[in-house]
Amino acid sequence: MSTSRDLTRLGAAQMAEEMAAGDVSSVELVEAALARIDAVDGSAEAGVHAFLHVAADEALAVARSVDEARAAGEPLPALAGVPVAVKDVVATRGMPTTVGSRILEGWVPPYDATLVERLRAARTPLLGKTNMDEFAMGSSTEHSAYGPTRNPWDLERIPGGSGGGSAAAVAAYEAPLAVGTDTGGSIRQPAAVTGTVGVKPTYGGVSRYGLVALASSLDQAGPCARSVLDAALLHAAMGGHDPRDSTSLAGRAPDVVAAARDGATGDLAGVRVGLVRELGGEGYQAGVQARFAEAVDVLREAGAEVVEVSAPHFRYALAAYYLILPSEASSNLAKFDAMRYGLRVGDGDPQATAEAVMSATREAGFGDEVKRRIVLGTYALSAGYYDAYYGSAQKVRTLVQRDFAAAFERADVLVSPTAPTTAFRFGDKLDDPMAMYLNDVATIPANLAGVPGMSLPSGLADEDGLPAGIQLLAPAQADDRLYRVGAALEARLLDRWGGPLLDRAPALGSFPRRDLTTTGAPA
Ligand code: GLN
């Protein structure tokens, strides 16, 4: 007997298990994902709009090859056949890569990022490219040149940013897994406001080769998923040393999958959890703080010892970030000069100088937020100001790193709310860059110090019924701690809630849902 069920609801680990058991095929999983994208993703005008490009044929071809290999008894990697979506900041051979910008509209990279190469080697069908704030600058996806992504919890609200497309794709059951990048919070803040799990690995844990650089000393790719274990599976598939990235970590990466599995069944006896005094209080929504406090109680009940730690220089982290990031970005974005690839404007006039073409192209191709940061960064790096601005910011960065070192003397992991508020409405912060920047006040310190961070759902805020997130932070190269503690917390919260938070997303229920029939599944 076969049963009718919605395959898009399965997590990545479950998909892998069921494929191995012969209960479902990769083609069925990919077809279900594509049908779901078809049903809910819509366009810039309506729907979730998580995707800028859907690679249906390619994903199906990979799925078919995985099913054939499995039938032939070939050994397959853990995630073989599980569909994955990729943020549009990651170079994908044969698939457009726009970075959410007009300046790269239509550009198809001739090569794959290392992480994409690894996903292809892991035989994961790539569903396509997800929407983002232009050049990963923003916290709402409203800065995408292709129109915003909508939050599956409420289509009138932002899905976070810059990786709102990846988080929304996962939250809306369009993909079980998605790749994100996090320079100041772009994986963790979208995870928080969409009720999903997002991880920024230790700086250097996942190769930056083939990522369109925003701020090279801060950029880090990582997983977006609906569970801690699923995030670990994607993290493990993408991560590890890459000789093509000079900042890639050498040596063996921590076993995040084992940690997630252990955590889900174990307790937290002997684990010291540090509450960061400076990340909370004023400026944080009451419902976000209430859910955070409850999650901390759950950690305590699981056996953790909770201590308070102080990180006095975190209050300067945002200011330092908004000097370091624009400085690096202004330099990284200088290569978009209309000469080598991407948009070219104004070269019809035979008298036009190269400089005039560059200027016209950059004027037309970059949006306001990108221009704002290029100007800011160029200024901060200019002669006479360099020491006062960029130099001072680097000193603050060192102080933030020392705060982390001191805090990790007293605690194994640190915790805070991920973002100060739940998802806000479109337009609410668009005209006030400072209000937009403040979304990342709790996530930025980890990028400045290079330490890993995870966001997982803490519950629904009372004011608006929207998801809030708790952030876990660990010392560099101790990413496994995040997964152990995160999985322990997640298991207990799911018990309390009686199931996943996402089951309660009202907007998701109102989407038309196709009835997908699987073969061979037990009735
Ligand atoms: N929102 C932050 C910014 O606009 C973080 C961006 C990111 O992590 N890519 O810079």
Short mmCIF file of all heavy atoms in Angstrom, two decimals, residues 87 89 132-140 143 160-163 181-190 200 214-215 218-220 318 321-322 325-326 369 373 436-440 443-444 447, ligand 1:
data_model
loop_
_atom_site.label_atom_id
_atom_site.label_comp_id
_atom_site.label_asym_id
_atom_site.label_seq_id
_atom_site.Cartn_x
_atom_site.Cartn_y
_atom_site.Cartn_z
N LYS A 87 22.89 30.19 -1.99
CA LYS A 87 22.80 31.65 -2.02
C LYS A 87 23.52 32.20 -3.25
O LYS A 87 24.58 31.71 -3.62
CB LYS A 87 23.41 32.22 -0.74
CG LYS A 87 23.22 33.71 -0.53
CD LYS A 87 23.80 34.13 0.83
CE LYS A 87 23.71 35.62 1.06
NZ LYS A 87 24.34 36.01 2.36
N VAL A 89 25.44 34.41 -3.90
CA VAL A 89 26.77 35.02 -3.75
C VAL A 89 27.85 33.98 -4.04
O VAL A 89 29.03 34.28 -4.06
CB VAL A 89 26.92 35.59 -2.32
CG1 VAL A 89 26.94 34.47 -1.28
CG2 VAL A 89 28.13 36.48 -2.16
N MET A 132 18.99 37.56 -2.19
CA MET A 132 19.80 38.15 -1.12
C MET A 132 19.86 39.66 -1.28
O MET A 132 19.62 40.18 -2.37
CB MET A 132 21.23 37.59 -1.21
CG MET A 132 21.88 37.82 -2.57
SD MET A 132 23.49 37.03 -2.72
CE MET A 132 24.47 38.18 -1.75
N ASP A 133 20.20 40.36 -0.21
CA ASP A 133 20.50 41.78 -0.34
C ASP A 133 21.71 41.93 -1.25
O ASP A 133 22.63 41.12 -1.22
CB ASP A 133 20.86 42.37 1.03
CG ASP A 133 19.65 42.57 1.92
OD1 ASP A 133 18.80 43.39 1.55
OD2 ASP A 133 19.57 41.91 2.96
N GLU A 134 21.67 42.99 -2.06
CA GLU A 134 22.76 43.20 -3.02
C GLU A 134 24.14 43.14 -2.33
O GLU A 134 24.38 43.83 -1.34
CB GLU A 134 22.57 44.56 -3.69
CG GLU A 134 23.60 44.83 -4.77
CD GLU A 134 23.38 46.15 -5.51
OE1 GLU A 134 22.53 46.96 -5.09
OE2 GLU A 134 24.08 46.36 -6.52
N PHE A 135 25.01 42.30 -2.87
CA PHE A 135 26.37 42.11 -2.33
C PHE A 135 26.35 41.77 -0.84
O PHE A 135 27.29 42.06 -0.12
CB PHE A 135 27.27 43.32 -2.62
CG PHE A 135 27.79 43.31 -4.04
CD1 PHE A 135 27.16 44.05 -5.03
CD2 PHE A 135 28.87 42.52 -4.38
CE1 PHE A 135 27.61 44.00 -6.34
CE2 PHE A 135 29.33 42.48 -5.69
CZ PHE A 135 28.69 43.21 -6.68
N ALA A 136 25.26 41.15 -0.40
CA ALA A 136 25.13 40.69 1.00
C ALA A 136 25.14 41.84 2.01
O ALA A 136 25.52 41.66 3.16
CB ALA A 136 26.21 39.66 1.34
N MET A 137 24.72 43.03 1.55
CA MET A 137 24.67 44.18 2.45
C MET A 137 23.22 44.44 2.83
O MET A 137 22.46 45.00 2.05
CB MET A 137 25.23 45.42 1.76
CG MET A 137 26.69 45.29 1.38
SD MET A 137 27.21 46.73 0.45
CE MET A 137 28.87 46.26 -0.03
N GLY A 138 22.86 44.04 4.04
CA GLY A 138 21.51 44.30 4.49
C GLY A 138 21.00 43.24 5.42
O GLY A 138 21.64 42.20 5.62
N SER A 139 19.82 43.49 6.00
CA SER A 139 19.23 42.58 6.98
C SER A 139 17.78 42.26 6.65
O SER A 139 17.01 41.85 7.51
CB SER A 139 19.28 43.21 8.36
OG SER A 139 20.62 43.47 8.72
N SER A 140 17.39 42.45 5.36
CA SER A 140 15.97 42.29 5.04
C SER A 140 15.68 41.76 3.63
O SER A 140 14.54 41.49 3.31
CB SER A 140 15.27 43.65 5.19
OG SER A 140 15.70 44.53 4.18
N HIS A 143 17.25 45.13 -0.16
CA HIS A 143 18.27 45.72 -1.04
C HIS A 143 18.59 44.84 -2.25
O HIS A 143 19.52 45.16 -2.99
CB HIS A 143 19.56 45.99 -0.27
CG HIS A 143 19.42 46.99 0.84
ND1 HIS A 143 18.78 48.20 0.67
CD2 HIS A 143 19.81 46.96 2.14
CE1 HIS A 143 18.80 48.87 1.82
NE2 HIS A 143 19.40 48.13 2.72
N GLY A 160 14.58 38.54 6.91
CA GLY A 160 15.96 38.76 7.35
C GLY A 160 16.88 38.90 6.17
O GLY A 160 16.47 38.77 5.01
N GLY A 161 18.12 39.20 6.46
CA GLY A 161 19.09 39.35 5.37
C GLY A 161 20.50 39.33 5.91
O GLY A 161 20.69 39.30 7.12
N SER A 162 21.45 39.22 5.06
CA SER A 162 21.26 39.27 3.63
C SER A 162 20.75 37.95 3.04
O SER A 162 20.17 37.93 1.97
CB SER A 162 22.57 39.63 2.94
OG SER A 162 23.55 38.61 3.13
N GLY A 163 20.89 36.85 3.75
CA GLY A 163 20.51 35.56 3.18
C GLY A 163 19.05 35.21 3.40
O GLY A 163 18.71 34.06 3.71
N THR A 181 25.74 32.74 3.58
CA THR A 181 27.02 33.31 3.99
C THR A 181 26.75 34.35 5.07
O THR A 181 25.68 34.96 5.09
CB THR A 181 27.78 33.99 2.82
OG1 THR A 181 26.95 35.01 2.26
CG2 THR A 181 28.18 32.99 1.76
N ASP A 182 27.71 34.51 5.96
CA ASP A 182 27.52 35.33 7.15
C ASP A 182 28.77 36.16 7.37
O ASP A 182 29.83 35.64 7.68
CB ASP A 182 27.24 34.38 8.33
CG ASP A 182 26.80 35.07 9.60
OD1 ASP A 182 27.45 36.07 9.97
OD2 ASP A 182 25.82 34.61 10.23
N THR A 183 28.61 37.48 7.16
CA THR A 183 29.72 38.42 7.32
C THR A 183 29.52 39.23 8.60
O THR A 183 30.47 39.70 9.21
CB THR A 183 29.78 39.34 6.09
OG1 THR A 183 29.91 38.53 4.92
CG2 THR A 183 30.94 40.31 6.14
N GLY A 184 28.23 39.37 8.96
CA GLY A 184 27.90 40.09 10.20
C GLY A 184 26.64 39.53 10.82
O GLY A 184 26.13 40.07 11.81
N GLY A 185 26.09 38.48 10.21
CA GLY A 185 24.85 37.90 10.76
C GLY A 185 23.93 37.33 9.70
O GLY A 185 22.82 36.88 10.00
N SER A 186 24.34 37.34 8.45
CA SER A 186 23.45 37.03 7.33
C SER A 186 22.95 35.59 7.24
O SER A 186 22.07 35.30 6.43
CB SER A 186 24.11 37.41 6.01
OG SER A 186 24.09 38.79 5.87
N ILE A 187 23.50 34.69 8.04
CA ILE A 187 22.90 33.36 8.17
C ILE A 187 22.04 33.34 9.43
O ILE A 187 20.91 32.84 9.43
CB ILE A 187 23.98 32.26 8.25
CG1 ILE A 187 24.69 32.12 6.91
CG2 ILE A 187 23.36 30.93 8.68
CD1 ILE A 187 25.86 31.12 6.92
N ARG A 188 22.57 33.90 10.53
CA ARG A 188 21.92 33.74 11.83
C ARG A 188 20.67 34.61 11.99
O ARG A 188 19.65 34.14 12.52
CB ARG A 188 22.94 34.03 12.94
CG ARG A 188 24.01 32.95 13.05
CD ARG A 188 25.20 33.43 13.86
NE ARG A 188 25.99 34.40 13.11
CZ ARG A 188 26.82 35.29 13.62
NH1 ARG A 188 26.96 35.37 14.93
NH2 ARG A 188 27.51 36.11 12.85
N GLN A 189 20.71 35.85 11.54
CA GLN A 189 19.53 36.71 11.72
C GLN A 189 18.36 36.22 10.86
O GLN A 189 17.24 36.13 11.34
CB GLN A 189 19.91 38.18 11.46
CG GLN A 189 18.76 39.17 11.61
CD GLN A 189 18.19 39.62 10.26
OE1 GLN A 189 18.62 39.10 9.21
NE2 GLN A 189 17.25 40.55 10.28
N PRO A 190 18.57 35.85 9.58
CA PRO A 190 17.44 35.27 8.82
C PRO A 190 16.91 33.99 9.46
O PRO A 190 15.70 33.75 9.47
CB PRO A 190 18.06 34.99 7.44
CG PRO A 190 19.20 35.94 7.33
CD PRO A 190 19.75 36.07 8.72
N LYS A 200 26.97 29.98 11.41
CA LYS A 200 28.21 30.56 10.87
C LYS A 200 29.36 29.77 11.46
O LYS A 200 29.63 29.85 12.65
CB LYS A 200 28.37 32.03 11.27
CG LYS A 200 29.64 32.64 10.70
CD LYS A 200 30.07 33.91 11.40
CE LYS A 200 31.06 33.69 12.52
NZ LYS A 200 32.41 33.25 12.08
N LEU A 214 32.57 40.03 0.10
CA LEU A 214 32.04 41.27 0.66
C LEU A 214 33.16 41.87 1.53
O LEU A 214 33.80 42.84 1.15
CB LEU A 214 30.77 40.98 1.48
CG LEU A 214 30.23 42.11 2.36
CD1 LEU A 214 30.01 43.39 1.59
CD2 LEU A 214 28.93 41.67 3.03
N ALA A 215 33.44 41.25 2.65
CA ALA A 215 34.56 41.68 3.51
C ALA A 215 35.35 40.41 3.85
O ALA A 215 34.92 39.61 4.67
CB ALA A 215 34.03 42.35 4.76
N LEU A 218 35.89 38.75 7.21
CA LEU A 218 34.69 38.44 8.00
C LEU A 218 33.82 37.36 7.35
O LEU A 218 33.06 36.66 8.04
CB LEU A 218 33.83 39.70 8.18
CG LEU A 218 34.49 40.92 8.82
CD1 LEU A 218 33.68 42.18 8.54
CD2 LEU A 218 34.64 40.72 10.32
N ASP A 219 33.88 37.24 6.02
CA ASP A 219 32.97 36.36 5.27
C ASP A 219 33.11 34.89 5.68
O ASP A 219 34.23 34.39 5.79
CB ASP A 219 33.27 36.43 3.75
CG ASP A 219 32.99 37.79 3.14
OD1 ASP A 219 32.33 38.62 3.78
OD2 ASP A 219 33.46 38.02 2.00
N GLN A 220 32.00 34.21 5.81
CA GLN A 220 32.04 32.78 6.11
C GLN A 220 30.75 32.13 5.62
O GLN A 220 29.65 32.60 5.92
CB GLN A 220 32.19 32.57 7.62
CG GLN A 220 32.39 31.13 8.05
CD GLN A 220 33.50 30.40 7.31
OE1 GLN A 220 33.35 29.26 6.94
NE2 GLN A 220 34.62 31.05 7.07
N LEU A 318 29.61 47.06 16.69
CA LEU A 318 28.85 47.49 15.52
C LEU A 318 29.56 48.66 14.81
O LEU A 318 29.70 48.65 13.58
CB LEU A 318 27.43 47.91 15.94
CG LEU A 318 26.45 48.21 14.81
CD1 LEU A 318 25.86 46.92 14.26
CD2 LEU A 318 25.32 49.12 15.29
N TYR A 321 32.63 47.36 13.08
CA TYR A 321 32.23 46.58 11.89
C TYR A 321 31.89 47.51 10.73
O TYR A 321 32.27 47.23 9.59
CB TYR A 321 31.03 45.72 12.28
CG TYR A 321 30.35 44.98 11.15
CD1 TYR A 321 30.78 43.71 10.77
CD2 TYR A 321 29.26 45.54 10.47
CE1 TYR A 321 30.14 43.01 9.75
CE2 TYR A 321 28.62 44.85 9.46
CZ TYR A 321 29.06 43.60 9.10
OH TYR A 321 28.42 42.92 8.09
N TYR A 322 31.19 48.60 11.01
CA TYR A 322 30.78 49.50 9.92
C TYR A 322 31.91 50.42 9.45
O TYR A 322 31.70 51.33 8.67
CB TYR A 322 29.48 50.24 10.26
CG TYR A 322 28.32 49.33 9.88
CD1 TYR A 322 27.63 48.59 10.82
CD2 TYR A 322 28.00 49.12 8.53
CE1 TYR A 322 26.62 47.71 10.46
CE2 TYR A 322 27.01 48.24 8.16
CZ TYR A 322 26.32 47.53 9.12
OH TYR A 322 25.35 46.66 8.73
N LEU A 325 34.02 46.61 7.55
CA LEU A 325 33.30 46.04 6.40
C LEU A 325 33.31 46.97 5.19
O LEU A 325 33.69 46.56 4.10
CB LEU A 325 31.86 45.65 6.78
CG LEU A 325 31.07 45.12 5.57
CD1 LEU A 325 30.28 43.89 5.91
CD2 LEU A 325 30.19 46.18 4.94
N PRO A 326 32.92 48.25 5.33
CA PRO A 326 32.95 49.12 4.14
C PRO A 326 34.36 49.27 3.56
O PRO A 326 34.52 49.34 2.35
CB PRO A 326 32.41 50.46 4.65
CG PRO A 326 31.68 50.15 5.90
CD PRO A 326 32.35 48.95 6.49
N GLU A 369 22.54 51.18 -1.19
CA GLU A 369 23.25 50.70 0.00
C GLU A 369 24.71 50.36 -0.35
O GLU A 369 25.62 50.64 0.42
CB GLU A 369 22.53 49.48 0.60
CG GLU A 369 23.16 48.93 1.88
CD GLU A 369 23.18 49.93 3.04
OE1 GLU A 369 22.35 50.87 3.05
OE2 GLU A 369 24.03 49.77 3.93
N ARG A 373 28.15 52.22 1.14
CA ARG A 373 29.27 51.55 1.82
C ARG A 373 30.59 51.75 1.07
O ARG A 373 31.65 51.82 1.69
CB ARG A 373 28.96 50.08 2.01
CG ARG A 373 27.75 49.91 2.95
CD ARG A 373 27.70 48.55 3.55
NE ARG A 373 26.38 48.29 4.12
CZ ARG A 373 26.10 47.23 4.82
NH1 ARG A 373 27.01 46.31 5.04
NH2 ARG A 373 24.88 47.05 5.32
N MET A 436 18.48 49.64 10.44
CA MET A 436 18.74 48.37 9.75
C MET A 436 20.00 47.71 10.32
O MET A 436 20.01 46.52 10.62
CB MET A 436 18.89 48.64 8.25
CG MET A 436 18.89 47.40 7.37
SD MET A 436 17.26 46.61 7.28
CE MET A 436 16.56 47.44 5.85
N TYR A 437 21.05 48.50 10.51
CA TYR A 437 22.32 47.95 10.99
C TYR A 437 22.17 47.33 12.38
O TYR A 437 22.87 46.36 12.72
CB TYR A 437 23.42 49.03 11.02
CG TYR A 437 23.77 49.64 9.68
CD1 TYR A 437 24.58 50.76 9.59
CD2 TYR A 437 23.29 49.09 8.49
CE1 TYR A 437 24.91 51.33 8.37
CE2 TYR A 437 23.62 49.66 7.27
CZ TYR A 437 24.42 50.78 7.20
OH TYR A 437 24.74 51.34 5.99
N LEU A 438 21.29 47.91 13.19
CA LEU A 438 21.16 47.43 14.58
C LEU A 438 20.62 46.00 14.69
O LEU A 438 20.73 45.38 15.74
CB LEU A 438 20.28 48.40 15.39
CG LEU A 438 21.03 49.65 15.87
CD1 LEU A 438 20.05 50.70 16.38
CD2 LEU A 438 22.04 49.29 16.96
N ASN A 439 20.06 45.47 13.60
CA ASN A 439 19.61 44.07 13.61
C ASN A 439 20.74 43.11 13.94
O ASN A 439 20.50 42.00 14.40
CB ASN A 439 19.10 43.66 12.23
CG ASN A 439 17.70 44.13 12.01
OD1 ASN A 439 16.78 43.58 12.60
ND2 ASN A 439 17.53 45.17 11.22
N ASP A 440 21.96 43.52 13.63
CA ASP A 440 23.10 42.61 13.75
C ASP A 440 23.95 42.88 14.98
O ASP A 440 25.07 42.38 15.08
CB ASP A 440 23.96 42.71 12.48
CG ASP A 440 23.18 42.27 11.26
OD1 ASP A 440 22.66 41.16 11.29
OD2 ASP A 440 23.10 43.05 10.30
N THR A 443 25.04 39.64 16.52
CA THR A 443 25.72 38.63 15.68
C THR A 443 27.12 39.09 15.24
O THR A 443 27.99 38.25 15.00
CB THR A 443 24.88 38.31 14.43
OG1 THR A 443 24.43 39.52 13.84
CG2 THR A 443 23.70 37.42 14.79
N ILE A 444 27.32 40.40 15.12
CA ILE A 444 28.57 40.94 14.59
C ILE A 444 29.82 40.57 15.41
O ILE A 444 30.87 40.27 14.82
CB ILE A 444 28.43 42.47 14.39
CG1 ILE A 444 27.71 42.74 13.07
CG2 ILE A 444 29.78 43.18 14.45
CD1 ILE A 444 27.34 44.20 12.85
N ASN A 447 31.74 37.57 14.12
CA ASN A 447 32.48 37.75 12.87
C ASN A 447 33.79 38.48 13.11
O ASN A 447 34.82 38.16 12.52
CB ASN A 447 31.63 38.51 11.84
CG ASN A 447 30.35 37.79 11.50
OD1 ASN A 447 29.38 37.86 12.26
ND2 ASN A 447 30.33 37.06 10.39
N1 GLN B 1 23.43 42.83 7.84
C1 GLN B 1 24.86 42.91 7.90
C2 GLN B 1 25.34 43.90 6.88
O1 GLN B 1 24.51 44.47 6.23
C3 GLN B 1 25.46 41.56 7.68
C4 GLN B 1 25.65 41.19 6.28
C5 GLN B 1 26.21 39.84 6.08
O2 GLN B 1 26.40 39.06 7.01
N2 GLN B 1 26.50 39.52 4.84
O3 GLN B 1 26.50 44.13 6.72
#
